[in-house]
């Protein structure tokens, strides 16, 4: 139930932020919009951490070991997400004039990003299993997958 409520709150925050960003897109320079999007993405990552904390019960010892690994994991996943964001903005910029070859290249890059995300998750499974029980690791990745 906490997950559903947390998702609802996150979706409302995203919707509100997106409507603000969209309104600004029409009136502000691209630099300001980019800064606003960067802030929005940071806020979403912060909310994600709160959702995970609210839904995975960690002992004090587990939390002390879990969160530093989580922060490393997020840093790596952020690189993949930044690549994906760049891919989307590239596609949006070229959408009306894109060639078949460019479209195919974008699809291949998108798949490579997904593979990279999966490899990062696979890398972190044993790292998380060293500090929290397997059931909590499984729950973490269930939540994480839905929030990305």
């Amino acid at each position: 139930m906490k997950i559903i409520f947390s998702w609802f709150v996150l979706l409302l925050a995203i919707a509100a932020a997106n409507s603000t960003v969209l309104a600004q897109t029409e009136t502000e320079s691209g630099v300001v919009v980019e800064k606003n999007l960067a802030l929005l993405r940071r806020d979403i990552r912060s909310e994600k951490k709160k959702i995970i904390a609210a839904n995975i019960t960690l002992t004090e010892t587990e939390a002390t070991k879990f969160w530093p690994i989580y922060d490393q994991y997020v840093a790596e996943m952020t690189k993949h997400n930044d690549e994906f964001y760049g891919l989307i903005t590239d596609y949006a910029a070229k959408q009306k004039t894109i060639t078949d070859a460019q479209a195919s290249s974008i699809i291949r890059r998108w798949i490579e990003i997904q593979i990279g995300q999966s490899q990062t998750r696979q890398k972190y499974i044993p790292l998380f299993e060293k500090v929290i029980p397997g059931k909590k690791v499984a729950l973490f990745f269930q939540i994480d997958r839905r929030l990305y």
Side-chain angles (χ1 to χ4, degrees):
M1 191 59 157
K2 288 181 185 178
I3 291 175
I4 293 170
F5 177 73
S6 298
W7 262 104
F8 180 73
V9 170
L10 181 62
L11 290 174
L12 285 176
I14 291 170
N18 279 341
S19 63
T20 301
V21 169
L22 289 174
Q24 291 170 338
T25 300
E26 296 173 5
T27 60
E28 297 179 345
S29 71
V31 174
V32 174
V33 172
E34 285 298 320
K35 287 180 182 179
N36 286 336
L37 285 173
L39 291 172
L40 172 64
R41 292 176 75 208
R42 186 196 68 206
D43 291 346
I44 290 171
R45 282 191 295 271
S46 174
E47 289 301 314
K48 180 181 169 201
K49 192 170 187 176
K50 290 176 187 175
I51 291 169
I52 290 168
N55 289 284
I56 300 176
T57 305
L58 299 172
T59 66
E60 189 174 323
T61 303
E62 290 172 341
T64 301
K65 295 176 182 177
F66 174 83
W67 291 113
I69 295 170
Y70 172 82
D71 290 337
Q72 293 171 0
Y73 169 78
V74 167
E76 287 191 41
M77 290 300 282
T78 298
K79 291 176 187 175
H80 298 299
N81 292 332
D82 289 346
E83 285 182 70
F84 180 69
Y85 175 73
L87 184 67
I88 294 300
T89 55
D90 184 38
Y91 174 76
K94 297 176 181 174
Q95 187 175 10
K96 293 182 180 178
T97 60
I98 195 166
T99 66
D100 288 336
Q102 289 170 324
S104 293
S105 174
I106 288 173
I107 292 169
R108 285 187 192 88
R109 288 172 41 207
W110 173 62
I111 294 298
E112 289 171 10
I113 292 167
Q114 288 185 326
I115 290 169
Q117 288 173 323
S118 294
Q119 288 171 338
T120 299
R121 286 184 179 108
Q122 190 172 19
K123 170 185 168 183
Y124 275 87
I125 290 170
L127 298 176
F128 284 122
E129 287 176 332
K130 288 180 183 178
V131 299
I132 61 174
K135 286 182 182 180
K136 291 181 182 181
V137 173
L139 178 58
F140 164 72
F141 279 105
Q142 288 173 3
I143 295 168
D144 178 72
R145 186 181 62 79
R146 285 172 174 79
L147 294 178
Y148 264 105

